[in-house]
Structure formats: structure tokens, C-alpha cells
Amino acid sequence: DQQVKQNSPSLSVQEGRISILNCDYTNSMFDYFLWYKKYPAEGPTFLISISSIKDKNEDGRFTVFLNKSAKHLSLHIVPSQPGDSAVYFCAASAWVNFGNEKLTFGTGTRLTIIP
Amino acid sequence: NAGVTQTPKFRVLKTGQSMTLLCAQDMNHEYMYWYRQDPGMGLRLIHYSVGEGTTAKGEVPDGYNVSRLKKQNFLLGLESAAPSQTSVYFCASSYSKGLAGGRKNTDTQYFGPGTRLTVL
């Protein structure tokens, strides 16, 4: 049972335009969400995160939006640059029991920025 | 700081052979994790550790064993490799849940560069 879903395996966007990557989750206990970026032959690197007490978090060109009622989050990249071409993973965690030591990852979306 | 390092970077095994993947971190993190990444499957947690001397099963633990004898090292063992274990393996680490500074500090995991394993 995939608790975190990224339904678009790939996305192509023109350079300078907005890239929107989507993520849905099913577990209502998730209360913290992260986006990771992964280049080929490298490990994932943390990009941006959001707590469930917020509905938006910005960091430069990257903004994450959270819609708790829809159990949906999205990552906006504006403007998109060639260096943004990578696989993006959405991840979620839950402060349950005694800790929050596990992340549940989505399957990833490969973003290609077209020059 | 080197961050999270993994040894080896690549390995080819024959079915039935054994091997150990080494993960080391120099960030004094309490928590460490082993994931595998397969096409269309995302990152799946194999085993994890919340401190030296402790380990726990993740989502796909069968066929793997782990040990955390030192805080900075987390070893992943394959006792009898199978073709289904062909994958890219990532190690990660994070701070403990008791760390001040909010969820960004405690929930963010830092990943190594990966080990590509092929089992023939």
C-alpha cells in the first residue's frame, strides 16, 4: 500500500516557466513533509519541507504548498532552470508514539527542463 | 566534513555470495538508515537504527542483516545474495528526535552517494 504517491513519473518544462510537481498521501497521521532532489549517480539531497501547521513554505525559487483536507502537496519551481533537471522525491513523516524516525517516500518524478 | 559516505560504490556478485556494505557518517547523528531504490518503486527502507547497538526492521528487511557497533557506522549485510537484491542502496542519517530546533532538524535525513549492486 503506497502511502505517498507521485502519480507523474516524468515532467518536461520549458526553461523559465513554472514547474509543478505533485504528491498525494493517504495516512492522516503524516504531519511533516519533505522534498528531495536527486541527480544521477548521487544520493538524494534535501530541498524544502513543510509542517502540517502551515499551508505554504518558500525558499528562493522553491515553494511547497500543502492542502491537508485533500492530502495533497505540491512543489513549485519558478523560474525553472536547466540545473533543476533531476528526480524529485516527496517524503512524509509522522510524530507518532515516541518519535519521528522514519520517512515514507514517494516513487519520484523525473523533471526535465528544456532549454 | 565528509557527511555520509558509502563503500563500495559498485559491486557485482554471483548468486549465493555474501557481502557487507559500509556506511559512515561524521555528523554525530543518532539515527541511521539503509534504503534500496528500484525503478518505479522509490526509496524503500530496509533497516534502521536509532542509536549505537540498536537496529530495527523497515519495510523490506528480508535477506538483509545490519549492525551498528559504533555510532558513526552502519553495516548492511547480504548473507546469500539473490538476483532480486540487484538495486541501488542508499544509506542516510539524521539527528535524534530529542534535538531542539523543530522538525526540520529532526526529520531531515542526509544521504550517501549510493552503492550500485548487481547480483548475477
Side-chain angles (χ1 to χ4, degrees):
Chain A
D1 177 30
Q2 192 76 25
Q3 296 187 61
V4 178
K5 302 177 184 178
Q6 294 176 257
N7 292 318
S8 297
S10 63
L11 175 68
S12 294
V13 174
Q14 207 77 30
E15 182 179 356
R17 299 288 184 103
I18 182 172
S19 295
I20 301 176
L21 294 90
N22 294 306
C23 178
D24 298 293
Y25 61 95
T26 56
N27 189 338
S28 58
M29 298 299 290
F30 287 144
D31 60 356
Y32 196 78
F33 304 89
L34 307 90
W35 284 94
Y36 279 82
K37 178 178 179 180
K38 185 185 177 307
Y39 291 121
E42 294 183 11
T45 56
F46 169 75
L47 186 60
I48 192 170
S49 60
I50 187 167
S51 166
S52 60
I53 62 173
K54 295 185 175 182
D55 55 17
K56 177 182 172 182
N57 190 29
E58 278 183 85
D59 185 0
R61 296 186 296 114
F62 303 92
T63 303
V64 56
F65 295 92
L66 176 62
N67 182 334
K68 284 180 290 185
S69 60
K71 294 191 177 68
H72 176 84
L73 65 155
S74 60
L75 174 68
H76 293 212
I77 306 173
V78 182
S80 300
Q81 298 175 353
D84 296 330
S85 294
V87 176
Y88 289 79
F89 290 99
C90 156
S93 69
W95 189 279
V96 293
N97 297 325
F98 299 105
N100 53 296
E101 60 267 14
K102 288 189 282 184
L103 294 179
T104 302
F105 284 85
T107 53
T109 297
R110 181 178 301 277
L111 175 65
T112 302
I113 304 302
I114 304 165
Chain B
N1 287 353
V4 180
T5 57
Q6 293 183 232
T7 308
K9 288 187 168 51
F10 304 94
R11 187 71 186 269
V12 178
L13 290 178
K14 294 182 180 178
T15 297
Q17 286 185 316
S18 63
M19 79 163 293
T20 300
L21 281 67
L22 171 64
C23 175
Q25 53 92 7
D26 60 3
M27 296 176 282
N28 201 33
H29 285 168
E30 287 293 332
Y31 296 173
M32 296 187 75
Y33 312 82
W34 276 107
Y35 292 90
R36 60 179 289 174
Q37 185 197 6
D38 302 292
M41 303 288 285
L43 290 159
R44 293 184 293 168
L45 184 64
I46 304 172
H47 285 280
Y48 66 103
S49 167
V50 298
E52 182 178 322
T54 72
T55 63
K57 293 180 180 180
E59 182 185 352
V60 288
D62 294 342
Y64 305 95
N65 56 74
V66 286
S67 64
R68 184 98 181 267
L69 299 179
K70 293 183 179 181
K71 184 177 181 178
Q72 63 268 34
N73 295 337
F74 195 29
L75 278 62
L76 177 71
L78 286 75
E79 289 187 350
S80 179
S84 61
Q85 294 178 304
T86 293
S87 188
V88 181
Y89 291 85
F90 290 102
C91 176
S93 67
S94 67
Y95 289 108
S96 68
K97 61 184 181 293
L99 186 72
R103 294 290 292 276
K104 184 176 177 181
N105 282 340
T106 57
D107 291 46
T108 302
Q109 294 181 13
Y110 298 84
F111 284 81
T115 295
R116 184 174 293 277
L117 175 66
T118 301
V119 183
L120 303 175

PDB file of all heavy atoms in Angstrom, chain B residues 57-71:
ATOM      1  N   LYS B  57      13.681  -3.291  11.946  1.00  0.00           N
ATOM      2  CA  LYS B  57      13.308  -3.630  10.581  1.00  0.00           C
ATOM      3  C   LYS B  57      12.513  -2.503   9.956  1.00  0.00           C
ATOM      4  O   LYS B  57      11.706  -1.842  10.609  1.00  0.00           O
ATOM      5  CB  LYS B  57      12.467  -4.908  10.575  1.00  0.00           C
ATOM      6  CG  LYS B  57      13.237  -6.147  10.983  1.00  0.00           C
ATOM      7  CD  LYS B  57      12.352  -7.375  10.949  1.00  0.00           C
ATOM      8  CE  LYS B  57      13.138  -8.611  11.363  1.00  0.00           C
ATOM      9  NZ  LYS B  57      12.295  -9.823  11.344  1.00  0.00           N
ATOM     10  N   GLY B  58      12.754  -2.340   8.663  1.00  0.00           N
ATOM     11  CA  GLY B  58      11.977  -1.387   7.898  1.00  0.00           C
ATOM     12  C   GLY B  58      10.936  -2.094   7.067  1.00  0.00           C
ATOM     13  O   GLY B  58      10.382  -3.112   7.474  1.00  0.00           O
ATOM     14  N   GLU B  59      10.723  -1.562   5.881  1.00  0.00           N
ATOM     15  CA  GLU B  59       9.654  -2.064   5.012  1.00  0.00           C
ATOM     16  C   GLU B  59      10.027  -3.363   4.294  1.00  0.00           C
ATOM     17  O   GLU B  59       9.177  -4.233   4.086  1.00  0.00           O
ATOM     18  CB  GLU B  59       9.340  -0.973   3.981  1.00  0.00           C
ATOM     19  CG  GLU B  59       8.227  -1.257   3.005  1.00  0.00           C
ATOM     20  CD  GLU B  59       8.113  -0.145   1.970  1.00  0.00           C
ATOM     21  OE1 GLU B  59       8.797   0.892   2.103  1.00  0.00           O
ATOM     22  OE2 GLU B  59       7.343  -0.324   1.014  1.00  0.00           O
ATOM     23  N   VAL B  60      11.291  -3.518   3.909  1.00  0.00           N
ATOM     24  CA  VAL B  60      11.729  -4.679   3.134  1.00  0.00           C
ATOM     25  C   VAL B  60      12.992  -5.303   3.731  1.00  0.00           C
ATOM     26  O   VAL B  60      14.059  -5.303   3.112  1.00  0.00           O
ATOM     27  CB  VAL B  60      11.959  -4.294   1.640  1.00  0.00           C
ATOM     28  CG1 VAL B  60      10.638  -4.040   0.934  1.00  0.00           C
ATOM     29  CG2 VAL B  60      12.858  -3.059   1.518  1.00  0.00           C
ATOM     30  N   PRO B  61      12.923  -5.900   4.915  1.00  0.00           N
ATOM     31  CA  PRO B  61      14.124  -6.377   5.601  1.00  0.00           C
ATOM     32  C   PRO B  61      14.615  -7.765   5.210  1.00  0.00           C
ATOM     33  O   PRO B  61      15.762  -8.123   5.514  1.00  0.00           O
ATOM     34  CB  PRO B  61      13.666  -6.393   7.066  1.00  0.00           C
ATOM     35  CG  PRO B  61      12.201  -6.722   6.973  1.00  0.00           C
ATOM     36  CD  PRO B  61      11.714  -6.016   5.728  1.00  0.00           C
ATOM     37  N   ASP B  62      13.768  -8.547   4.538  1.00  0.00           N
ATOM     38  CA  ASP B  62      14.120  -9.947   4.285  1.00  0.00           C
ATOM     39  C   ASP B  62      15.352 -10.075   3.403  1.00  0.00           C
ATOM     40  O   ASP B  62      15.448  -9.460   2.349  1.00  0.00           O
ATOM     41  CB  ASP B  62      12.932 -10.680   3.649  1.00  0.00           C
ATOM     42  CG  ASP B  62      11.753 -10.778   4.613  1.00  0.00           C
ATOM     43  OD1 ASP B  62      11.976 -10.608   5.833  1.00  0.00           O
ATOM     44  OD2 ASP B  62      10.631 -11.027   4.143  1.00  0.00           O
ATOM     45  N   GLY B  63      16.284 -10.941   3.842  1.00  0.00           N
ATOM     46  CA  GLY B  63      17.509 -11.191   3.079  1.00  0.00           C
ATOM     47  C   GLY B  63      18.663 -10.287   3.466  1.00  0.00           C
ATOM     48  O   GLY B  63      19.756 -10.417   2.912  1.00  0.00           O
ATOM     49  N   TYR B  64      18.410  -9.386   4.419  1.00  0.00           N
ATOM     50  CA  TYR B  64      19.437  -8.434   4.857  1.00  0.00           C
ATOM     51  C   TYR B  64      19.610  -8.505   6.375  1.00  0.00           C
ATOM     52  O   TYR B  64      18.653  -8.758   7.100  1.00  0.00           O
ATOM     53  CB  TYR B  64      19.045  -7.008   4.498  1.00  0.00           C
ATOM     54  CG  TYR B  64      18.745  -6.767   3.053  1.00  0.00           C
ATOM     55  CD1 TYR B  64      17.428  -6.815   2.592  1.00  0.00           C
ATOM     56  CD2 TYR B  64      19.755  -6.471   2.147  1.00  0.00           C
ATOM     57  CE1 TYR B  64      17.132  -6.584   1.269  1.00  0.00           C
ATOM     58  CE2 TYR B  64      19.463  -6.232   0.817  1.00  0.00           C
ATOM     59  CZ  TYR B  64      18.150  -6.290   0.381  1.00  0.00           C
ATOM     60  OH  TYR B  64      17.864  -6.061  -0.928  1.00  0.00           O
ATOM     61  N   ASN B  65      20.848  -8.227   6.825  1.00  0.00           N
ATOM     62  CA  ASN B  65      21.077  -8.022   8.246  1.00  0.00           C
ATOM     63  C   ASN B  65      21.906  -6.764   8.423  1.00  0.00           C
ATOM     64  O   ASN B  65      22.572  -6.311   7.492  1.00  0.00           O
ATOM     65  CB  ASN B  65      21.780  -9.233   8.875  1.00  0.00           C
ATOM     66  CG  ASN B  65      23.093  -9.561   8.184  1.00  0.00           C
ATOM     67  OD1 ASN B  65      24.079  -8.862   8.347  1.00  0.00           O
ATOM     68  ND2 ASN B  65      23.108 -10.633   7.401  1.00  0.00           N
ATOM     69  N   VAL B  66      21.822  -6.170   9.602  1.00  0.00           N
ATOM     70  CA  VAL B  66      22.528  -4.919   9.855  1.00  0.00           C
ATOM     71  C   VAL B  66      23.194  -4.968  11.225  1.00  0.00           C
ATOM     72  O   VAL B  66      22.810  -5.754  12.090  1.00  0.00           O
ATOM     73  CB  VAL B  66      21.578  -3.693   9.807  1.00  0.00           C
ATOM     74  CG1 VAL B  66      21.160  -3.353   8.385  1.00  0.00           C
ATOM     75  CG2 VAL B  66      20.368  -3.903  10.708  1.00  0.00           C
ATOM     76  N   SER B  67      24.179  -4.097  11.392  1.00  0.00           N
ATOM     77  CA  SER B  67      24.798  -3.945  12.713  1.00  0.00           C
ATOM     78  C   SER B  67      25.244  -2.505  12.895  1.00  0.00           C
ATOM     79  O   SER B  67      25.668  -1.841  11.943  1.00  0.00           O
ATOM     80  CB  SER B  67      25.968  -4.908  12.886  1.00  0.00           C
ATOM     81  OG  SER B  67      27.005  -4.612  11.973  1.00  0.00           O
ATOM     82  N   ARG B  68      25.117  -2.027  14.134  1.00  0.00           N
ATOM     83  CA  ARG B  68      25.517  -0.653  14.486  1.00  0.00           C
ATOM     84  C   ARG B  68      26.386  -0.753  15.747  1.00  0.00           C
ATOM     85  O   ARG B  68      25.963  -0.430  16.852  1.00  0.00           O
ATOM     86  CB  ARG B  68      24.268   0.172  14.750  1.00  0.00           C
ATOM     87  CG  ARG B  68      24.561   1.633  15.032  1.00  0.00           C
ATOM     88  CD  ARG B  68      24.394   2.508  13.845  1.00  0.00           C
ATOM     89  NE  ARG B  68      24.714   3.897  14.138  1.00  0.00           N
ATOM     90  CZ  ARG B  68      23.822   4.809  14.522  1.00  0.00           C
ATOM     91  NH1 ARG B  68      22.551   4.463  14.711  1.00  0.00           N
ATOM     92  NH2 ARG B  68      24.203   6.048  14.727  1.00  0.00           N
ATOM     93  N   LEU B  69      27.614  -1.192  15.551  1.00  0.00           N
ATOM     94  CA  LEU B  69      28.517  -1.373  16.689  1.00  0.00           C
ATOM     95  C   LEU B  69      29.122  -0.055  17.144  1.00  0.00           C
ATOM     96  O   LEU B  69      29.465   0.118  18.316  1.00  0.00           O
ATOM     97  CB  LEU B  69      29.620  -2.376  16.338  1.00  0.00           C
ATOM     98  CG  LEU B  69      29.132  -3.791  15.992  1.00  0.00           C
ATOM     99  CD1 LEU B  69      30.298  -4.696  15.650  1.00  0.00           C
ATOM    100  CD2 LEU B  69      28.322  -4.366  17.145  1.00  0.00           C
ATOM    101  N   LYS B  70      29.268   0.865  16.197  1.00  0.00           N
ATOM    102  CA  LYS B  70      29.776   2.199  16.518  1.00  0.00           C
ATOM    103  C   LYS B  70      28.760   3.218  16.036  1.00  0.00           C
ATOM    104  O   LYS B  70      28.096   3.002  15.016  1.00  0.00           O
ATOM    105  CB  LYS B  70      31.117   2.458  15.826  1.00  0.00           C
ATOM    106  CG  LYS B  70      32.269   1.613  16.325  1.00  0.00           C
ATOM    107  CD  LYS B  70      33.550   2.010  15.605  1.00  0.00           C
ATOM    108  CE  LYS B  70      34.724   1.191  16.094  1.00  0.00           C
ATOM    109  NZ  LYS B  70      35.998   1.575  15.418  1.00  0.00           N
ATOM    110  N   LYS B  71      28.666   4.328  16.725  1.00  0.00           N
ATOM    111  CA  LYS B  71      27.670   5.343  16.394  1.00  0.00           C
ATOM    112  C   LYS B  71      27.822   5.830  14.959  1.00  0.00           C
ATOM    113  O   LYS B  71      26.833   6.099  14.284  1.00  0.00           O
ATOM    114  CB  LYS B  71      27.806   6.522  17.352  1.00  0.00           C
ATOM    115  CG  LYS B  71      26.763   7.605  17.172  1.00  0.00           C
ATOM    116  CD  LYS B  71      26.941   8.682  18.214  1.00  0.00           C
ATOM    117  CE  LYS B  71      25.882   9.757  18.056  1.00  0.00           C
ATOM    118  NZ  LYS B  71      26.013  10.803  19.091  1.00  0.00           N
TER     119      LYS B  71
END
